[in-house]
């Protein structure tokens, strides 16, 4: 089951959420949890994973926008230099 004091993934830093996810994976892979605890941790892990994937998608989008702006500036400068 999910721990009562577990923070919402959105309220956690990327690093903290990733560390918790890694801890959950380790616990599940150990095979030492009972079924109920395994299911609770699995559900928590899925929530963390979805949040982390969303953050990575957002970061990738921002990088693409910035690269596009940089390329546009460079092509503007190149066109102005040739004029």
């Amino acid at each position: 089951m999910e721990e009562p004091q577990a923070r919402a993934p959105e309220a956690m830093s990327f690093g903290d959420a990733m560390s918790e996810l890694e801890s959950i994976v380790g616990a599940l892979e150990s095979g030492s949890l009972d079924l109920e605890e395994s299911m609770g941790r699995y559900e928590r892990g899925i929530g963390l994973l979805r949040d982390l994937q969303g953050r990575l998608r957002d970061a990738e989008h921002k990088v693409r926008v910035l690269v596009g702006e940089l390329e546009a500036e460079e092509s503007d400068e190149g066109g102005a230099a040739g004029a």
Side-chain angles (χ1 to χ4, degrees), residues 8-75:
E10 313 81 47
M12 301 172 73
S13 71
F14 186 90
D16 287 346
M18 188 66 155
S19 292
E20 184 179 345
L21 180 58
E22 289 171 348
S23 173
I24 289 169
V25 169
L28 290 171
E29 287 179 342
S30 75
S32 63
L33 304 174
D34 63 23
L35 179 62
E36 292 79 14
E37 192 170 1
S38 291
M39 291 302 298
R41 296 234 185 142
Y42 183 81
E43 288 176 22
R44 172 69 175 171
I46 292 296
L48 289 165
L49 180 62
R50 287 180 178 151
D51 179 71
L52 290 167
Q53 287 175 331
R55 292 188 207 191
L56 288 172
R57 271 191 305 275
D58 291 347
E60 182 179 23
H61 175 73
K62 287 178 185 178
V63 168
R64 285 184 179 163
V65 168
L66 291 171
V67 167
E69 290 174 359
L70 182 60
E71 289 173 348
E73 288 175 12
E74 288 175 349
S75 68

